[in-house]
Amino acid sequence: MALPLPNRIALGLMALALIAGLSIAPTQRAQAAVPTFDERIAGQTMKVAPGVTAQTVVRDGVAATDGVQTLANNGTNADWAKLVLLFGGWPKTEENVTVILRWMRQENGPPDWWNRNNPLNNGYGSGGGAGLGSYPDLVTAARYCAENLHRGYPEIVAGLAAGSSADATAQAIWASPWASSHYANGAHWSTRPVEIVQAPADAW
């Protein structure tokens, strides 16, 4: 028996509504919102164990040291004294510079301290066993001087390594065989200030 027309229309509308509902239904489960970083750490605290203290970071200081070229460019007898200390690995203290300047004065004198490019009349490497030889330049002279002291003058080396007393190092120089006169055990050794004199550029 056929349904009345109004009933058939109602059934058709219900079927259409059912099909439409299925077609718009979500095919995937909705994902929950991901919390942000700030939301995740909110409320969190950090505990530090007892006895733990903040560490102090100490950075090494940077100190400028005159190099060979700088000393040669300056070119004075004080710079040559520092050059000997540099090559010898000794501290460039005021006491060390002073004793070498005094030593240079006893050997050649400030006005001509670069004589034969051999300020301390060193026989080692200069071609003059009695200290009357010469070097091609003052830098070479300083290097040979430091080497010679290390080779056979331990008391002088000890004084320069300490770098604390020009007088103590001078006594080691007098007692050494560097000069046959031994500087009259200090009688021929002046302690007055040494004049600072620049050598000619071609001596370096």
Side-chain angles (χ1 to χ4, degrees):
M1 178 178 178
L3 292 173
L5 180 60
N7 291 345
R8 291 200 302 272
I9 293 173
L11 288 174
L13 291 174
M14 290 175 62
L16 289 174
L18 179 61
I19 293 172
L22 291 174
S23 65
I24 64 174
T27 58
Q28 294 182 349
R29 180 179 298 176
Q31 295 182 351
V34 178
T36 65
F37 176 76
D38 290 337
E39 291 172 339
R40 291 198 302 273
I41 66 172
Q44 295 184 8
T45 59
M46 179 181 293
K47 293 184 178 180
V48 179
V52 176
T53 58
Q55 297 296 315
T56 301
V57 178
V58 179
R59 291 178 172 83
D60 294 335
V62 178
T65 302
D66 290 335
V68 173
Q69 193 58 53
T70 299
L71 294 171
N73 288 342
N74 293 338
T76 68
N77 43 350
D79 293 300
W80 192 83
K82 293 176 183 177
L83 201 54
V84 173
L85 296 171
L86 179 65
F87 285 133
W90 303 303
K92 288 188 285 186
T93 63
E94 183 177 353
E95 294 294 307
N96 273 351
V97 174
T98 295
V99 72
I100 294 179
L101 282 172
R102 291 173 180 173
W103 195 0
M104 293 163 64
R105 175 170 57 193
Q106 297 310 126
E107 290 291 340
N108 280 321
D112 192 24
W113 65 266
W114 59 89
N115 183 32
R116 292 175 286 104
N117 288 339
N118 194 354
L120 287 179
N121 291 326
N122 180 19
Y124 176 62
S126 66
L132 299 179
S134 62
Y135 296 101
D137 54 68
L138 290 170
V139 174
T140 302
R143 182 180 291 107
Y144 271 109
C145 181
E147 289 181 6
N148 198 16
L149 290 173
H150 275 299
R151 287 172 69 246
Y153 299 85
E155 289 80 11
I156 299 176
V157 167
L160 294 173
S164 56
S165 174
D167 293 337
T169 305
Q171 291 175 10
I173 294 170
W174 308 337
S176 78
W178 188 276
S180 58
S181 68
H182 297 280
Y183 307 99
N185 292 320
H188 296 166
W189 186 277
S190 175
T191 58
R192 72 180 188 277
V194 178
E195 180 184 1
I196 302 302
V197 179
Q198 189 175 40
D202 59 7
W204 294 94

